[in-house]
Amino acid sequence: MKKAPFGPLTAAIAALGVVLGFFALQLRADGYEQYVGSVANASGLMYFTAAMVVVTWVRDRRPRSD
């Protein structure tokens, strides 16, 4: 079975977190304070998701004891 593309998936999710972080900063600068918290939360969630993909990647590389 072919391995999942963990590297590109992690990079894409982390990039989405960066974009959402910059978007939150732009919203704050433009005066849309009511949306900043939600977008910043989504950004943090993307970083957490990227970290969980890395954990899955590490666990997938371990030898199996079948």
Side-chain angles (χ1 to χ4, degrees), residues 13-36:
I13 293 172
L16 181 59
V18 170
V19 168
L20 286 170
F22 283 124
F23 185 53
L25 292 174
Q26 187 64 42
L27 285 172
R28 177 166 288 156
D30 291 343
Y32 291 102
E33 290 290 329
Q34 67 268 28
Y35 303 113
V36 172

Side-chain angles (χ1 to χ4, degrees), residues 5-62:
F6 290 112
L9 179 63
T10 300
I13 293 172
L16 181 59
V18 170
V19 168
L20 286 170
F22 283 124
F23 185 53
L25 292 174
Q26 187 64 42
L27 285 172
R28 177 166 288 156
D30 291 343
Y32 291 102
E33 290 290 329
Q34 67 268 28
Y35 303 113
V36 172
S38 297
V39 175
N41 187 24
S43 176
L45 184 61
M46 291 302 107
Y47 288 125
F48 177 76
T49 304
M52 291 297 101
V53 170
V54 170
V55 168
T56 303
W57 188 0
V58 169
R59 291 182 56 117
D60 185 56
R61 293 178 54 104
R62 293 192 320 194

